[in-house]
Amino acid sequence: MLRTFVLRCENTTFRVVWRSFSEKTDKDKEKPKPPPAPKKQVDPRRVFKVYRFGGIHTNEKPKLQSYDLDVSTCGKMVLDALIKIKDMDPSLSFRRSCREGICGSCAVNLQGTNCLACITEIPPAKTITIYPLPHMYVIRDLVVDMTHFFNGYNSIRPYLNRKNAGPIGRFQFAQSVEDNLKMVGLYECVLCSCCATACPSYWWNGRRFLGPATLLHAYRWIIDSRDEDHEERLHDLRDDFKAFRCHTIMNCTLACPKGLHPAFAIAKLKRLISGVSKKPRPEIDPMKFAVSSDWMKR
């Protein structure tokens, strides 16, 4: 719709023509809408090339075994396809449990990228390759040995330490909302090792470098306002390899299936280890809701 305005400035008159695009003209209303473009049909037949290995106690050599699968007969996730393939070939071995991205046991390398099979959709590619997690000892097929990874995780003491904790379960430790928000983005880690096995520093220095997942959890327990062992924790990490072998390559952030940022947590952890930053004091006393101190007299 066209609208005309007359502007007068001293001895000069201006005529301004303005069109309102928000108002449709009769010609615009008469134009029919084009039909939606038809969706491109994707062939449901896929070829899955799965890594197969019988273990070190056999003479079998590692190989890629192909499986022709119609993905329309199973669910949309990679784990559904693996379960369907296992129905075809019961000898295939892989880990899975919760199917909700919580346990972290179904981590695999899909098309060259680490992921959780239960929450990753089947890619539209005609050929799909599935390997075990890289740079890990393979026990059988897609099952890798997680012993070294969990040994590093256990070394950071992933639990609360109190100087005078008293009997377990006698009372709760208080924490303010603000202090709890500091751990958001840390406690969601499911220890799937997708980030650690995608980290070049972990490949090169895996014996002494703890890796992104373990360091993320180390920062989570150090920053917890209810923990009183942060000085000892930081002292244990004051090493050339345990934390400072992180070169901020950022592969961990790209590989995390939960959308976390381990590299950011490691950067904050380095500041605490080096003394650049200090752990803030808790906003409320963790013993605020303790029923009584009778247990200290026993």
Side-chain angles (χ1 to χ4, degrees):
M1 177 179 291
L2 297 179
R3 297 183 181 180
T4 304
F5 298 90
V6 178
L7 301 179
R8 294 181 180 178
C9 181
E10 294 182 355
N11 298 326
T12 307
T13 303
F14 299 92
R15 185 177 298 274
V16 180
V17 180
W18 175 70
R19 177 171 181 176
S20 175
F21 290 94
S22 61
E23 300 179 7
K24 295 183 179 180
T25 62
D26 296 337
K27 293 182 179 180
D28 294 334
K29 295 180 180 179
E30 294 176 357
K31 292 182 179 179
K33 295 182 179 180
K39 294 183 179 180
K40 185 178 180 180
Q41 297 294 330
V42 180
D43 187 8
R45 306 295 302 184
R46 309 289 170 81
V47 177
F48 286 82
K49 292 186 176 181
V50 184
Y51 180 89
R52 301 300 307 273
F53 177 53
I56 60 174
H57 297 294
T58 65
N59 295 325
E60 180 183 345
K61 294 183 179 180
K63 63 180 180 180
L64 282 178
Q65 187 167 346
S66 298
Y67 297 94
D68 191 1
L69 178 65
D70 186 353
V71 296
S72 63
T73 61
C74 63
K76 296 182 179 181
M77 303 301 171
V78 175
L79 181 59
D80 297 320
L82 286 175
I83 294 174
K84 190 70 174 181
I85 293 174
K86 189 170 179 63
D87 292 339
M88 301 163 52
D89 184 2
S91 65
L92 178 63
S93 298
F94 57 89
R95 290 191 178 109
R96 86 286 185 276
S97 181
C98 71
R99 302 184 71 172
E100 295 293 337
I102 298 174
C103 70
S105 60
C106 64
V108 294
N109 184 274
L110 175 70
Q111 305 287 71
T113 303
N114 296 345
C115 68
L116 290 178
C118 62
I119 59 175
T120 303
E121 291 189 6
I122 300 173
K126 181 65 177 178
T127 303
I128 301 171
T129 57
I130 302 177
Y131 284 88
L133 291 176
H135 298 271
M136 301 281 275
Y137 291 109
V138 178
I139 298 175
R140 180 184 173 91
D141 296 340
L142 302 178
V143 180
V144 297
D145 187 1
M146 302 285 286
T147 303
H148 176 69
F149 174 78
F150 283 114
N151 285 342
Y153 173 70
N154 292 333
S155 69
I156 65 169
R157 302 190 300 279
Y159 43 81
L160 287 177
N161 277 327
R162 300 284 301 179
K163 295 179 180 179
N164 296 312
I168 297 177
R170 178 62 62 89
F171 45 78
Q172 64 177 337
F173 298 127
Q175 188 178 50
S176 67
V177 176
E178 289 74 15
D179 285 338
N180 182 264
L181 289 177
K182 296 176 183 177
M183 297 185 294
V184 174
L186 302 174
Y187 62 80
E188 295 92 340
C189 175
V190 296
L191 296 173
C192 62
S193 192
C194 284
C195 63
T197 54
C199 174
S201 295
Y202 192 72
W203 305 342
W204 304 328
N205 309 285
R207 293 182 179 274
R208 298 178 63 181
F209 176 55
L210 293 178
T214 300
L215 292 176
L216 179 140
H217 278 272
Y219 178 71
R220 175 256 181 274
W221 292 107
I222 289 172
I223 205 65
D224 195 322
S225 62
R226 300 164 295 181
D227 186 81
E228 294 181 334
D229 194 27
H230 64 278
E231 294 182 357
E232 185 67 24
R233 295 179 190 272
L234 293 174
H235 181 270
D236 293 342
L237 294 173
R238 194 168 290 116
D239 180 271
D240 290 340
F241 280 84
K242 289 184 178 179
F244 286 94
R245 281 296 163 173
C246 170
H247 299 300
T248 322
I249 301 173
M250 305 291 284
N251 278 12
C252 55
T253 299
L254 296 176
C256 180
K258 303 293 289 184
L260 307 182
H261 201 333
F264 187 51
I266 296 173
K268 291 184 176 180
L269 180 62
K270 288 179 180 179
R271 293 177 60 89
L272 291 173
I273 297 173
S274 59
V276 176
S277 299
K278 299 293 183 181
K279 178 181 178 180
R281 297 180 60 85
E283 295 192 356
I284 61 176
D285 182 11
M287 306 297 291
K288 180 178 181 179
F289 299 117
V291 178
S292 66
S293 59
D294 295 340
W295 58 271
M296 299 181 66
K297 303 175 183 180
R298 297 179 182 176

